[in-house]
Amino acid sequence: QVKLLQSGTALVKPGASVKMSCKASGYPFTDYWVSWVKQSHGKSLEWIGEVYPNSGATHFNEKFKAKATLTVDKFTSTAYMELSRLTSDDSAIYYCTRETAYWGQGTLVTVSS
Amino acid sequence: DIQMTQSPPSLSASLGDKVTITCQASQNINKYIAWYQQKPGKAPRLLIRYTSILESGTPSRFSGSGSGRDYSFSISNVESEDIASYYCLQYDNLPYTFGAGTKLELK
């Protein structure tokens, strides 16, 4: 069955970067877009962007264009999201999804000195 | 960006009740709306896509309808396992956008 396994909790300092992973299994990784979604504590969901593993093509929410970098490793069926210049506003749970239908378990990022 | 206005923010229901949540888009989204259920500490779970198509495993007491800008999601005969937050998502235009969510609680 389709599974998306995300990397674990990250505690990072303000101004630093964090790179999280999303390992896919149970389907042809290169055939589906991988989207990333942010959920701040107790709040709603924000679509960050998506990457197409076959070509590396990306689409971004303008709000996150300068914040997030999306990449993939086709050989390990893993998608990555790197967030840069972190502030407290970036503290959240980040989900990877297969075209918003299947979701990973989420990666909690806490930005704190 | 398309704005999704979801209401109500919270809902109190008794077991067996029917509840309805609405989402209004800021423009026509051509039925490209999905509905998700999220329980505390868990990822959202897709229940309905393209307005009214139930995902495999979604109980038939869940339903969706609508067109144009206006959409609704209903649960008939609320069960205890339905206590959760619910979100709509429009996926007609990038960037995809979610509603603010509705928290369903037991009366």
Side-chain angles (χ1 to χ4, degrees):
Chain A
Q1 73 275 33
V2 175
K3 283 189 179 179
L4 298 168
L5 183 62
Q6 297 187 239
S7 48
T9 297
L11 173 60
V12 290
K13 295 193 185 314
S17 298
V18 66
K19 189 172 185 177
M20 63 193 79
S21 64
C22 170
K23 182 167 177 59
S25 60
Y27 73 96
F29 178 64
T30 53
D31 288 359
Y32 295 86
W33 291 83
V34 175
S35 285
W36 292 85
V37 175
K38 177 184 181 181
Q39 187 168 38
S40 302
H41 182 64
K43 294 191 178 176
S44 187
L45 304 152
E46 293 182 277
W47 184 84
I48 295 170
E50 61 183 1
V51 57
Y52 191 60
N54 197 33
S55 62
T58 54
H59 299 127
F60 281 96
N61 183 335
E62 278 297 319
K63 179 180 177 181
F64 294 97
K65 211 165 189 176
K67 173 65 63 177
T69 302
L70 304 182
T71 56
V72 297
D73 180 339
K74 289 192 283 190
F75 302 102
T76 61
S77 298
T78 303
Y80 298 92
M81 179 170 71
E82 184 170 17
L83 302 174
S84 60
R85 296 180 298 278
L86 292 165
T87 72
S88 57
D89 287 344
D90 298 314
S91 294
I93 297 174
Y94 293 87
Y95 294 100
C96 65
T97 84
R98 195 193 87 171
E99 297 187 353
T100 68
Y102 295 91
W103 294 58
Q105 84 278 17
T107 293
L108 174 64
V109 173
T110 301
V111 182
S112 173
S113 54
Chain B
D1 298 0
I2 295 176
Q3 307 305 313
M4 299 297 289
T5 303
Q6 183 173 344
S7 62
S10 63
L11 205 45
S12 185
S14 301
L15 297 179
D17 280 356
K18 178 176 180 177
V19 298
T20 298
I21 298 167
T22 63
C23 268
Q24 183 177 66
S26 56
Q27 66 187 63
N28 180 8
I29 55 171
N30 299 300
K31 295 194 168 189
Y32 288 104
I33 187 168
W35 293 93
Y36 296 83
Q37 176 190 68
Q38 187 179 33
K39 296 185 177 180
K42 298 292 187 183
R45 171 194 169 199
L46 176 63
L47 298 177
I48 291 175
R49 60 182 167 89
Y50 197 61
T51 298
S52 60
I53 299 175
L54 268 61
E55 287 297 289
S56 172
T58 300
S60 59
R61 63 181 180 275
F62 293 92
S63 64
S65 65
S67 62
R69 294 175 55 208
D70 297 306
Y71 298 86
S72 63
F73 167 86
S74 295
I75 311 172
S76 59
N77 300 313
V78 167
E79 298 189 6
S80 56
E81 66 183 35
D82 301 334
I83 301 310
S85 293
Y86 293 86
Y87 296 92
C88 63
L89 166 72
Q90 72 78 20
Y91 57 104
D92 184 48
N93 277 5
L94 294 177
Y96 301 153
T97 46
F98 292 88
T102 296
K103 189 171 184 179
L104 176 60
E105 296 170 320
L106 270 183
K107 199 178 288 182

